[in-house]
């Protein structure tokens, strides 16, 4: 394994995904310090080499100044916003190493129009679509007698996961178009709209780390986006995940690489925007045939909380290789285990919820085998741990089987308490 020299690492973000990254990076022997900006209560409690830095993820100039002043040799971006704002370009101009795509390459996530046109140009399987820039042409398209429902209506820009409407009939489609174009509920992110075919099948996500040409794959994962058991109720940021997802068989994965990942990386190189960093491919799999629902320019949350603990090789060595263009040479081995994560949310989430609730964690949790408690919306101040967001924890467990990892995760969930805490009780059940 390549040796990693002692270094300082900066992780940008405040969710359970960034806590998991922080945990993984801190395990790397060569790492001296891990800064998390802004981090959360969990990263504050890690101690040792880890410390929070009170800088927001979109304060690009301040983050760069911090990286320079504190001899940060490797920066990892958790969420999409700094990528869309061009943090990778900014750091690269200052000769600071950073994992992520350039602003131009991050359009795979930040512009759905860009990503659909890209996939069409390069023959990558995805739902058929049309692009609209005003309400009246979108409304006429929706109203054509030959239109089959459901239709999927998407604001093109970043909408924090809220920009997609599955319209079951013409009325719902017209309402979505009106809200985006006339009420401007997403502001400029709704200046362009993609209307696409509804894909049948089951969803899964595949994550690659890439240096632009070579890539390494994490275990395929499945998220649970709805708030309620049995995939009911409102969409959320994600209420739980597990990996590996049996839906993504070896044969499906082969197709994903051949028809999606390799053409995506080649297409981006050919178009003059080589794609580097994490590539999240959201898939719909219908009778063994994968197509792309969306790309994201980052890792998933909560999927990171299951795929990263399954990585056996040194995460930092792989991250460095992805910057140095030597990813083809590093080990990227996985444990032959399963992982599940259960998200504990504040009562009321994803709508209005209260924060500032005192959190209790039973002492025996820290001794539970193969359990990892990742914090999301928590704050740690004056020796008190309180809730500070919608998704509060992501409780991960590993097991020899998926069943074992799920049971372990739920046993750990019971050790955590705060007023109004809620979680799904069926994470991973559909794979059993
Ligand atoms: P996106 O932000 O594009 O991932 O869309 C959010 C969610 O909407 C996806 O995870 C799917 O559950 C659903 N979705 C998006 N596009 C489609 C589609 N073309 N067909 C069916 N479901 C879709
Ligand atoms: N788990 C969905 C996402 O990270 O976008």
């Amino acid at each position: 394994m390549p040796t990693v020299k002692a270094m300082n690492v900066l992780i940008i973000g405040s969710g359970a995904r960034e806590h998991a990254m922080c945990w993984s990076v801190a395990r790397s022997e060569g790492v001296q310090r891990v800064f998390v900006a802004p981090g959360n209560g969990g990263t504050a409690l890690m101690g040792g080499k880890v410390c929070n830095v009170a800088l927001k993820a979109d304060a690009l100039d301040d983050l760069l100044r911090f990286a320079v002043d504190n001899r940060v040799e490797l920066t990892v971006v958790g969420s999409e916003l700094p990528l869309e704002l061009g943090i990778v370009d900014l750091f690269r101009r200052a000769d600071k190493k950073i994992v992520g795509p350039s602003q131009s390459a991050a359009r795979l996530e930040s512009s759905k129009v860009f990503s659909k046109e890209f996939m069409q140009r390069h023959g990558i399987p995805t739902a058929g679509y049309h692009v609209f820039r005003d309400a009246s042409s979108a409304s006429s398209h929706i109203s054509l007698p030959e239109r089959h429902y459901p239709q999927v209506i998407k604001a093109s820009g970043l909408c924090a996961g809220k920009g997609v409407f599955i319209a079951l009939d013409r009325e719902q489609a017209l309402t979505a178009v009106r809200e985006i174009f006339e009420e401007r509920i997403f502001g400029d992110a709704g200046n362009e709209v993609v209307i696409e075919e509804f894909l049948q099948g089951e969803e899964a996500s595949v994550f690659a780390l890439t240096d632009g040409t070579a890539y390494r794959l994490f275990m395929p994962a499945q998220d649970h986006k709805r708030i309620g058991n049995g995939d009911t109720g409102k969409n959320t940021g994600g209420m739980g995940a597990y990996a590996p997802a049996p839906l993504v068989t070896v044969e499906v994965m082969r197709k994903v690489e051949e028809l999606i990942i390799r053409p995506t990386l080649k297409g981006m190189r050919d178009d003059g925007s080589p794609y580097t960093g994490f590539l999240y491919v959201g898939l719909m799999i219908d009778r063994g045939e994968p197509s792309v629902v969306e790309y994201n320019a980052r890792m998933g949350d909560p999927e990171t909380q299951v795929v990263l603990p399954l990585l056996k090789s040194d995460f930092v060595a792989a991250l460095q290789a992805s910057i140095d263009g030597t990813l083809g040479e590093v080990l990227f081995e996985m444990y032959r285990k399963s992982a599940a994560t259960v998200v504990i949310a504040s009562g009321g989430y994803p709508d209005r919820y209260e924060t500032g609730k005192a959190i209790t964690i039973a002492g025996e949790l820290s001794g539970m085998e193969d359990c990892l408690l990742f914090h999301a919306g928590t704050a740690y101040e004056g020796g008190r741990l309180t809730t500070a967001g919608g998704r509060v924890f992501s409780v991960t467990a590993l097991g020899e089987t998926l069943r074992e990892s799920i049971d372990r995760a739920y046993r750990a969930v019971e050790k955590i308490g705060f007023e109004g805490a809620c979680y799904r009780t069926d994470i991973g059940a559909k794979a059993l």
Side-chain angles (χ1 to χ4, degrees), residues 112 116 127 152 154 161-166 196-200 203 225 235 280 282 284 292-296:
K112 293 208 189 278
K116 294 300 286 192
V152 184
K154 302 182 171 184
K162 299 187 176 75
V164 175
F165 297 83
I166 312 277
E196 66 181 38
E197 285 165 16
F198 182 78
L199 295 168
Q200 305 288 343
E203 286 183 76
K225 288 195 170 139
N235 255 325
Y280 169 139
M284 190 68 81
V292 178
V293 175
E294 62 166 343
Y295 291 110
N296 290 314

Side-chain angles (χ1 to χ4, degrees), residues 133-156:
R133 296 186 172 83
D134 63 86
S136 71
S137 49
S139 303
S140 326
H141 171 85
I142 287 163
S143 304
L144 289 178
E146 68 265 28
R147 201 61 60 224
H148 293 291
Y149 282 85
Q151 289 279 312
V152 184
I153 297 162
K154 302 182 171 184
S156 180

Side-chain angles (χ1 to χ4, degrees), residues 17 80 109 160-161 205 207 222-225 236-241 280 294 296 298-304 391:
R17 168 181 53 206
E80 61 276 18
E109 172 167 7
S205 340
F207 301 91
Q222 221 173 9
D223 184 8
H224 297 62
K225 288 195 170 139
T236 70
M239 294 301 291
Y280 169 139
E294 62 166 343
N296 290 314
R298 49 171 177 83
M299 293 292 282
D301 186 342
E303 293 97 320
T304 301
R391 291 189 293 174

Side-chain angles (χ1 to χ4, degrees), residues 85-308:
L85 296 174
I87 194 167
V88 170
D89 312 70
L90 180 74
F91 272 55
R92 282 182 184 160
R93 279 197 299 274
D95 248 340
K96 296 303 281 180
K97 289 189 175 188
I98 184 163
V99 179
S102 66
Q103 187 174 38
S104 164
R107 284 179 300 167
L108 278 187
E109 172 167 7
S110 63
S111 167
K112 293 208 189 278
V113 172
F114 174 85
S115 77
K116 294 300 286 192
E117 290 175 349
F118 171 83
M119 286 186 271
Q120 189 173 52
R121 191 159 63 242
H122 295 284
I124 296 167
T126 190
Y129 71 99
H130 295 267
V131 174
F132 298 95
R133 296 186 172 83
D134 63 86
S136 71
S137 49
S139 303
S140 326
H141 171 85
I142 287 163
S143 304
L144 289 178
E146 68 265 28
R147 201 61 60 224
H148 293 291
Y149 282 85
Q151 289 279 312
V152 184
I153 297 162
K154 302 182 171 184
S156 180
L158 291 183
C159 302
K162 299 187 176 75
V164 175
F165 297 83
I166 312 277
L168 299 180
D169 56 35
R170 184 170 158 268
E171 275 326 295
Q172 291 184 356
L174 289 170
T175 304
V177 163
R178 194 185 62 239
E179 288 183 357
I180 299 174
F181 278 125
E182 284 163 13
E183 295 167 22
R184 296 186 57 76
I185 55 171
F186 302 120
D188 286 347
N191 287 348
E192 294 178 308
V193 163
V194 169
I195 301 186
E196 66 181 38
E197 285 165 16
F198 182 78
L199 295 168
Q200 305 288 343
E202 233 196 300
E203 286 183 76
S205 340
V206 167
F207 301 91
L209 174 64
T210 176
D211 60 15
T213 307
Y215 63 91
R216 297 297 200 181
L217 296 173
F218 289 92
M219 291 283 201
Q222 221 173 9
D223 184 8
H224 297 62
K225 288 195 170 139
R226 305 295 194 95
I227 186 74
N229 283 345
D231 294 330
T232 54
K234 290 204 169 162
N235 255 325
T236 70
M239 294 301 291
Y242 64 91
L247 172 70
V248 186
T249 59
V250 171
E251 178 57 15
V252 170
M253 199 59 152
R254 193 188 61 72
K255 287 185 184 164
V256 170
E257 292 192 59
E258 184 191 326
L259 304 175
I260 297 169
I261 305 231
R262 286 200 287 269
T264 299
L265 299 182
K266 180 172 186 310
M268 292 300 282
R269 288 196 304 276
D270 290 351
D271 291 354
S273 289
Y275 189 96
T276 53
F278 298 111
L279 179 67
Y280 169 139
V281 187
L283 297 167
M284 190 68 81
I285 299 164
D286 186 21
R287 287 160 290 178
E289 297 302 323
S291 47
V292 178
V293 175
E294 62 166 343
Y295 291 110
N296 290 314
R298 49 171 177 83
M299 293 292 282
D301 186 342
E303 293 97 320
T304 301
Q305 295 91 286
V306 288
V307 301
L308 210 42

